Amino acid sequence: MKTTGKTKGKRGSTGNKACPSQVPDEPQAETTFTRWSSFEKAVLSKVANPEACKKLIAERQAEVDDDSNETDLVVDFFRQKLRDENQNPDTCCLFFTTAEITDWLQKATGNNLPINKATPYLRALSIAELSYSKKTGRPGWVWRGSHAKPKKTATMFNKLRLIPGS
């Protein structure tokens, strides 16, 4: 099959010259497979340049890994801040207003994130201990440590200093 590097007009085309979706007339040369060998054998074997596609996939996987690293950075920061407040991050259950959690998020990432962008940002990070909530009608986030009692009511973070012994 002749290809010009263009994918214009081809149904199902990726539009990416490095990873065209045209099926070659001849079988492709042997290629190395990763842990996704079933996908690679079934799908990548049908494209004109499987190695270029694998390279593109690897680049995009690295971007996802960066997101995971950012999640770890934020979680580590939050856990340390909880310790600074004499809270055990594994067992505490605290409610943060969106403004409070945004302050910590800005410090953790070094980004000046507006309050109205914090919720979508935190949702994208998918932090296991954090869940969105509207405690008493106020939007915010609950940090529930991995060993916190499931039915434990979240304490308002801004009231911690008012509670003796906390």
Side-chain angles (χ1 to χ4, degrees), residues 24-117:
D25 292 335
E26 301 162 14
Q28 294 300 298
E30 189 65 32
T31 185
T32 58
F33 295 106
T34 67
R35 66 183 181 144
W36 306 105
S37 62
S38 297
F39 165 79
E40 292 167 345
K41 287 177 186 174
V43 177
L44 293 183
S45 64
K46 304 214 180 342
V47 299
N49 192 343
E51 290 303 321
C53 289
K54 283 175 59 177
K55 182 179 177 189
L56 182 63
I57 291 168
E59 289 169 4
R60 291 183 180 169
Q61 284 172 335
E63 291 172 9
V64 170
D65 289 345
D66 287 345
D67 292 343
S68 177
N69 292 340
E70 188 163 0
T71 298
D72 293 342
L73 176 102
V74 170
V75 169
D76 288 345
F77 183 87
F78 283 14
R79 292 176 70 79
Q80 185 56 54
K81 291 295 282 182
L82 289 166
R83 284 187 209 99
D84 292 348
E85 295 291 335
N86 296 317
Q87 298 296 310
N88 180 337
D90 294 324
T91 59
C92 70
C93 184
L94 299 170
F95 175 83
F96 295 85
T97 64
T98 303
E100 290 167 338
I101 204 84
T102 300
D103 180 55
W104 281 16
L105 192 54
Q106 289 172 340
K107 290 173 181 169
T109 62
N111 295 331
N112 190 16
L113 190 69
I115 290 174
N116 65 332
K117 301 293 183 193

